[in-house]
Amino acid sequence: MKSKLTKLEKYWILYDVGNSAFILMVSAIIPIFFKNLATSAGVSSSDSTAFWSYGLSISTLFVALIGTLLGKRADGKDKKKKYFTVFMIFGCLACGFLGFLNSWQLFLLVFIIAKIGCSGSIIFYDSMLTDITTDERSDVVSSGGYAWGYIGSCIPFVFSLILILNAKSFGLTAGLAGGISFIIIAIWWLLSSLPLIKNYKQLHYSDVIYKRSFSEIIKGVKETLSKIKENKPLWIFMLSYFFYIDGVYTIIELATSYGKDVGIGDNDLLLALLLTQVVAFPFALIFGYLSKKIKTRKLIEICVFGYILIVLFSLQLDKAWEFWFLAVCVAVFQGAIQSLSRSYFSRLVPKNNSNEFFGVFDIFGKGAAFTGTLIIGVLTQMSGQTKIGLAALIVLLVVGLILLRSVPDNSADI
């Protein structure tokens, strides 16, 4: 198998570098900005975490619905790139505005728009994997996307971090430094997408033209679900994915907010999450390499078990060094579990209807993220303790692991 990446594979990976910069901001700087705005407005720590969780849940639910409505239509000839571009542009514009908002409610609203833009673009970006590479190379290319996304996103993030932490030295207010940092991320994200937009060609598409009516779209989604259920390995994997990715996404999106709730300082939070990106880079590549020797499904099982241990450890977390240690542990499995799940799924689905199936794949992922953040939000607000909500993730991860181990052997494991 050829090991050198093609130009198109590199351009596809480059978009991971761009959107990962925004995703890193979502995990690090953006929650801190939001919680500081909310705190200055008199909102309690537990309530601000709950509101942040609700915002994440709203954005993921909306994208899940959009994925349902547009998934089958995007399988038409030359449609993927158009939908991908629209969502990417909306996300970049909203990201650029975030740093100039002083109201925590307005900040949360614009963030939801930016999150929808990013997550929506990724639906169509993921489905492009079937066009830009082969089944044999999908694990390596998908892992490369996450790996280079982690390390590449550190470049604008470090510039932003230096700007924010040294705002006074540069003669800037904290608010202006934050505004500039969000613009830097938005520009980085936009520029990284241009080579893919220019060079991507949709090779696999459906000749069926779907009507624009809502009833026809819903009918098409039901047909897709029926096709998935007929494929037992695919159906069990989808159910497993729903549960285990729930824990993964929730940990990624609420790590910073949880860290602040247990008393970890802003600087420690930001630097620890930066370390996560650096450590995740080699491990994503390592797992991609291991997929040549070990079944992909077995590697995913290892990652899920790792996340179970991570959640158990986080329940007693109350020191900065423990958060740093936890960040490294997350980094080991974070890129691997996402990239291997993506490539494993891409080998199970029919190529001409990849976006149709990736739309459902995203529904399961976004539905899981919605469930996890909602559970955290509700249990945290009811109990006044973030740890109570976090403990519920263990159940979801265990169920996901049990289902994953019951997936029948199939050609995707070769």
Side-chain angles (χ1 to χ4, degrees):
M1 180 177 70
K2 186 175 69 172
S3 59
K4 189 176 180 180
L5 294 172
T6 66
K7 282 188 176 181
L8 189 55
E9 288 172 345
K10 291 178 181 178
Y11 295 149
W12 185 83
I13 287 173
L14 184 60
Y15 184 69
D16 239 327
V17 174
N19 71 64
S20 291
F22 174 74
I23 293 172
L24 178 55
M25 292 283 278
V26 173
S27 300
I29 294 177
I30 294 179
I32 292 175
F33 261 72
F34 171 76
K35 288 186 75 71
N36 288 342
L37 283 174
T39 299
S40 64
V43 180
S44 69
S45 177
S46 59
D47 280 346
S48 64
T49 295
F51 290 135
W52 184 249
S53 298
Y54 297 149
L56 293 170
S57 296
I58 291 170
S59 64
T60 53
L61 179 61
F62 187 87
V63 173
L65 293 174
I66 290 296
T68 303
L69 297 175
L70 299 181
K72 289 178 73 69
R73 194 179 298 168
D75 277 323
K77 188 176 182 180
D78 299 327
K79 295 293 185 182
K80 287 183 187 179
K81 184 192 293 188
K82 294 178 182 178
Y83 287 121
F84 165 79
T85 304
V86 169
F87 278 95
M88 179 273 299
I89 290 175
F90 268 100
C92 289
L93 289 174
C95 176
F97 278 110
L98 279 175
F100 301 96
L101 304 173
N102 296 319
S103 164
W104 69 267
Q105 296 97 330
L106 188 58
F107 184 94
L108 186 59
L109 176 62
V110 175
F111 164 73
I112 290 172
I113 296 173
K115 187 74 161 48
I116 289 171
C118 180
S119 299
S121 70
I122 290 175
I123 296 175
F124 308 104
Y125 167 73
D126 284 348
S127 70
M128 289 178 182
L129 184 61
T130 59
D131 294 311
I132 61 97
T133 193
T134 63
D135 284 350
E136 293 76 19
R137 294 173 58 80
S138 60
D139 278 336
V140 172
V141 175
S142 183
S143 297
Y146 277 101
W148 288 104
Y150 286 131
I151 200 69
S153 64
C154 291
I155 298 173
F157 181 78
V158 168
F159 277 111
S160 300
L161 200 58
I162 292 173
L163 194 63
I164 292 171
L165 297 179
N166 300 278
K168 290 183 179 180
S169 301
F170 293 113
L172 303 172
T173 64
L176 183 57
I180 295 173
S181 69
F182 286 119
I183 291 176
I184 290 174
I185 297 299
I187 293 175
W188 177 272
W189 181 4
L190 175 64
L191 293 179
S192 71
S193 70
L194 298 181
L196 180 61
I197 292 174
K198 181 179 179 181
N199 294 278
Y200 169 74
K201 300 293 183 183
Q202 187 172 340
L203 302 179
H204 305 289
Y205 55 86
S206 173
D207 292 324
V208 179
I209 300 176
Y210 296 99
K211 296 180 180 180
R212 294 179 178 271
S213 69
F214 182 80
S215 61
E216 284 293 321
I217 294 173
I218 295 301
K219 180 181 178 181
V221 172
K222 290 181 178 178
E223 291 175 354
T224 304
L225 288 173
S226 296
K227 294 176 186 176
I228 292 175
K229 288 181 179 180
E230 291 172 0
N231 185 326
K232 187 176 180 181
L234 178 58
W235 177 240
I236 297 176
F237 172 70
M238 290 289 285
L239 291 176
S240 168
Y241 177 75
F242 175 85
F243 285 99
Y244 74 69
I245 209 66
D246 195 335
V248 174
Y249 284 162
T250 304
I251 290 170
I252 291 172
E253 295 185 325
L254 292 178
T256 303
S257 183
Y258 177 68
K260 283 185 70 69
D261 285 352
V262 297
I264 309 301
D266 288 356
N267 288 356
D268 280 314
L269 287 172
L270 294 173
L271 294 174
L273 290 170
L274 179 60
L275 176 65
T276 300
Q277 301 296 107
V278 176
V279 175
F281 168 68
F283 277 98
L285 293 177
I286 288 170
F287 272 91
Y289 173 79
L290 289 176
S291 67
K292 300 177 183 178
K293 303 178 179 298
I294 303 172
K295 289 184 177 181
T296 303
R297 181 160 57 89
K298 181 61 67 176
L299 292 175
I300 298 174
E301 290 175 8
I302 293 172
C303 292
V304 176
F305 184 72
Y307 264 96
I308 292 172
L309 297 179
I310 286 170
V311 175
L312 287 171
F313 178 80
S314 68
L315 294 178
Q316 56 80 53
L317 187 150
D318 59 3
K319 298 180 181 65
W321 76 264
E322 292 177 336
F323 190 85
W324 282 77
F325 176 74
L326 190 67
V328 172
C329 292
V330 169
V332 172
F333 303 108
Q334 182 172 295
I337 196 169
Q338 294 180 84
S339 63
L340 294 176
S341 296
R342 176 170 64 184
S343 57
Y344 185 80
F345 183 79
S346 74
R347 297 200 297 272
L348 289 171
V349 301
K351 300 295 183 289
N352 289 351
N353 303 100
S354 62
N355 215 89
E356 172 187 351
F357 283 84
F358 265 101
V360 176
F361 182 71
D362 192 73
I363 292 171
F364 275 67
K366 294 299 183 296
F370 169 79
T371 304
T373 53
L374 184 62
I375 289 173
I376 294 286
V378 171
L379 293 180
T380 297
Q381 202 161 34
M382 289 176 61
S383 65
Q385 298 183 49
T386 311
K387 291 183 179 181
I388 299 298
L390 194 63
L393 297 182
I394 297 176
V395 177
L396 299 173
L397 288 165
V398 170
V399 171
L401 180 60
I402 292 172
L403 288 170
L404 186 61
R405 291 181 61 85
S406 66
V407 175
D409 289 337
N410 54 76
S411 58
D413 276 328
I414 295 177

